[in-house]
Amino acid sequence: MKKTIQKVKVCRICGSSKLYPFLSLGKMPIPNGFIQKEELNMAERYYPLAVCVCENCWLVQLTHIVSPEIMFRNYVYIPSTSVTMVDHFRSMANAIVDKYKLNGSDLVVDVGSNDGTLLSFFKGKEIKVLGVDPSENLSAISNLKGIETMNNFFGIEVAEKIRKEKGKAKVVTATNVLAHIHDLDDICKGVNILLENEGLFIVEFPYFLDLIDKNEFDSIYHEHLSYFSLKPLCYLFQKYNLHIIDIKKVPVHGGSLRIFVSNVKSRYKPSLRVKDFLERESLRKLNRRSTYNEFARRVKAIRRDLVSLLKRLKLQGKRIVGYGAAAKGNVLLNYCKLDSHTIEYIVDSIPYKQGKFTPGTHIPIYPETRLENDTPDYVLLLAWNFADEILRKQVKYRERDGEFIITIPYLRIE
Ligand code: DWN
């Protein structure tokens, strides 16, 4: 995709042009587009951020796609910076090894392997591993850690190269990456090339039902092209003789699904859980415009309530800072037009982000240690998906009567 942005004209799964737009969050910079102090007066690229739903297969998707070269070649999302995510990937690897009896002759390939955190737990069990990731910075970190990683976007070409050089894979994993990919057909074709006949494609993604049920609208951003429920994914997989054979609900990133996909000719048959989840989706009326219009109404109400709360607190002379310079946090800040006049600064654990400023709203980012010597009245929790971990970390701030403002799943002060 040579242009920096393109309008979506047809559904990426079924090709239908019946796309119903239901929520716009306005125009804003890409959510991980952090800027240096010397760039503060330079123009930033703003892109439309809006979602539509395909009225044929019911895939929820962005109305415009920003070039992946802009978003992923140098990437700042590093799961190993959070205890929650490291524990999550450790238990995921253990569960897969136990469930599918993986051994030293098996190859596990991770698509979007990031800094190699998930693969390191398979490697720890003497299982052969290979990462594939487009970000130059993260591939370098992963290779330095001894996790062999190809610096590229996964697809047919990379799959063929891996199969030729390493053989077929017993397991291909993809966590928090399928939603980032426009050409899902290329991914499925690549999986079919790479996977053993009895192999498993194990995909984890934030679940759209959680997104609308918990009003997680700030998870809608330029990196996430698709917002998956099971029905459209079943539609996609059946095009490539793949089917979902099992599902596990996991709590990360506001509520995600881990789905297990195999070739329809393999010995694996769909468990009853697949049918249960599909029935639950039809009960939630995901095939009705009203479901999406109602969600959009709730999102606007959350913005209205949050902005008026913060305005009231500022009028009372209260100090407010942010916690977690997350992509989702930048969506919230830009959608609610909250800049450093309202949010004095943001603390974050990722060194790369410290010393920079948030995209569009230009709020300075400091290390978390700043809260050891400063006690603002309120902290707006932008990384709400790590609420437990962060609240545990900030007991001392709360003992000094500091309070957290948390917006998801509903606006509250703790
Ligand atoms: O899909 C994606 C999700 C999985 O993660 C990626 N496209 C981008 C990314 O979104 P994000 O930036 O919202 O990710 P996080 O990991 O939810 O962001 C959390 C932020 O909070 C990070 O910048 C790190 C920070 N943090 C912190 O300051 N102290 C996190 C923890 C746990 C902490 O204790």
Side-chain angles (χ1 to χ4, degrees):
M1 185 168 95
K2 293 288 168 267
K3 291 188 291 182
T4 56
I5 186 158
Q6 73 180 58
K7 185 165 172 35
V8 172
K9 296 195 173 71
V10 295
C11 173
R12 70 172 53 86
I13 284 188
C14 71
S16 167
S17 58
K18 284 174 60 190
L19 300 175
Y20 175 66
F22 61 89
L23 175 65
S24 169
L25 299 178
K27 285 192 172 187
M28 59 181 82
I30 55 173
N32 275 318
F34 296 96
I35 54 177
Q36 310 273 7
K37 191 177 177 65
E38 53 275 14
E39 295 169 318
L40 284 172
N41 295 323
M42 292 160 75
E44 289 173 270
R45 285 295 305 265
Y46 276 59
Y47 304 97
L49 182 59
V51 279
C52 59
V53 61
C54 168
E55 295 190 278
N56 180 47
C57 74
W58 300 97
L59 174 71
V60 175
Q61 49 203 295
L62 293 184
T63 58
H64 292 76
I65 304 172
V66 176
S67 158
E69 290 294 333
I70 294 177
M71 293 195 289
F72 303 119
R73 274 299 178 197
N74 181 41
Y75 202 42
V76 298
Y77 166 59
I78 307 176
S80 57
T81 57
S82 130
V83 172
T84 306
M85 290 312 294
V86 172
D87 291 346
H88 173 76
F89 283 133
R90 180 185 299 107
S91 70
M92 177 176 180
N94 292 341
I96 292 169
V97 170
D98 296 345
K99 182 168 184 171
Y100 297 104
K101 310 277 181 281
L102 300 191
N103 59 54
S105 61
D106 292 322
L107 171 65
V108 174
V109 174
D110 188 23
V111 173
S113 51
N114 199 284
D115 65 346
T117 301
L118 174 62
L119 286 178
S120 66
F121 295 115
F122 286 106
K123 183 170 182 170
K125 294 173 178 292
E126 310 297 318
I127 291 159
K128 292 184 291 184
V129 298
L130 178 68
V132 182
D133 197 285
S135 75
E136 286 146 16
N137 58 316
L138 294 174
S139 304
I141 293 170
S142 190
N143 279 308
L144 270 176
K145 280 162 57 172
I147 305 291
E148 187 183 354
T149 301
M150 290 174 70
N151 178 209
N152 210 330
F153 291 93
F154 181 79
I156 295 170
E157 208 179 308
V158 164
E160 277 166 350
K161 182 171 166 45
I162 297 172
R163 188 176 65 176
K164 205 160 67 189
E165 294 173 3
K166 306 273 182 188
K168 289 200 165 193
K170 173 77 177 179
V171 169
V172 174
T173 51
T175 64
N176 294 307
V177 63
L178 209 62
H180 301 57
I181 294 168
H182 177 48
D183 189 347
L184 295 173
D185 296 309
D186 188 34
I187 297 298
C188 291
K189 289 172 189 165
V191 166
N192 273 338
I193 290 166
L194 184 54
L195 210 52
E196 290 177 9
N197 295 340
E198 296 295 321
L200 276 301
F201 179 34
I202 301 173
V203 184
E204 197 167 277
F205 54 87
Y207 188 29
F208 179 67
L209 264 196
D210 283 304
L211 190 152
I212 52 168
D213 285 347
K214 293 187 260 181
N215 305 317
E216 296 167 354
F217 70 90
D218 52 0
S219 298
I220 295 170
Y221 46 83
H222 302 101
E223 293 180 9
H224 296 162
L225 280 52
S226 303
Y227 300 83
F228 291 123
S229 53
L230 288 172
K231 189 170 164 52
L233 280 174
C234 291
Y235 191 112
L236 169 71
F237 293 139
Q238 56 85 27
K239 291 196 294 187
Y240 296 98
N241 291 323
L242 296 167
H243 63 172
I244 300 174
I245 55 154
D246 206 355
I247 300 175
K248 177 177 173 51
K249 192 85 173 56
V250 291
V252 292
H253 295 298
S256 298
L257 288 190
R258 180 180 301 158
I259 60 173
F260 300 81
V261 180
S262 79
N263 188 296
V264 292
K265 295 198 187 78
S266 78
R267 67 175 183 279
Y268 299 108
K269 298 298 166 235
S271 89
L272 278 176
R273 274 186 289 273
V274 180
K275 189 164 161 291
D276 292 348
F277 270 91
L278 285 168
E279 276 168 6
R280 206 173 306 164
E281 289 185 0
S282 57
L283 286 173
R284 282 292 280 103
K285 297 189 171 47
L286 292 185
N287 58 350
R288 295 275 194 296
R289 286 187 175 188
S290 54
T291 305
Y292 301 93
N293 293 335
E294 177 50 28
F295 170 64
R297 191 195 60 71
R298 292 199 300 275
V299 170
K300 289 169 188 140
I302 289 172
R303 173 173 62 174
R304 183 198 59 225
D305 297 348
L306 176 62
V307 169
S308 65
L309 168 66
L310 298 180
K311 208 172 270 176
R312 195 166 65 247
L313 294 175
K314 292 306 282 181
L315 284 175
Q316 292 165 7
K318 303 296 184 188
R319 292 180 58 217
I320 309 168
V321 303
Y323 204 119
K328 59 177 82 66
N330 290 323
V331 170
L332 181 89
L333 295 170
N334 278 291
Y335 178 54
C336 298
K337 302 201 180 339
L338 299 171
D339 60 17
S340 52
H341 295 99
T342 306
I343 310 291
E344 271 179 49
Y345 59 81
I346 292 170
V347 294
D348 192 283
S349 60
I350 296 184
Y352 169 87
K353 297 182 181 179
Q354 294 160 6
K356 290 191 174 67
F357 293 77
T358 53
T361 50
H362 298 180
I363 299 170
I365 302 165
Y366 296 109
E368 293 169 296
T369 46
R370 190 169 177 112
L371 280 184
E372 288 166 12
N373 314 308
D374 185 19
T375 309
D377 302 286
Y378 295 95
V379 171
L380 176 61
L381 183 60
L382 299 167
W384 45 260
N385 50 319
F386 294 126
D388 295 347
E389 185 172 346
I390 290 171
L391 292 181
R392 273 199 306 274
K393 206 182 251 188
Q394 295 302 334
V395 168
K396 288 200 170 56
Y397 164 75
R398 300 176 78 200
E399 282 168 355
R400 302 196 304 267
D401 294 338
E403 293 190 286
F404 274 85
I405 300 170
I406 304 176
T407 54
I408 302 292
Y410 56 88
L411 184 57
R412 64 198 188 280
I413 295 178
E414 278 191 18

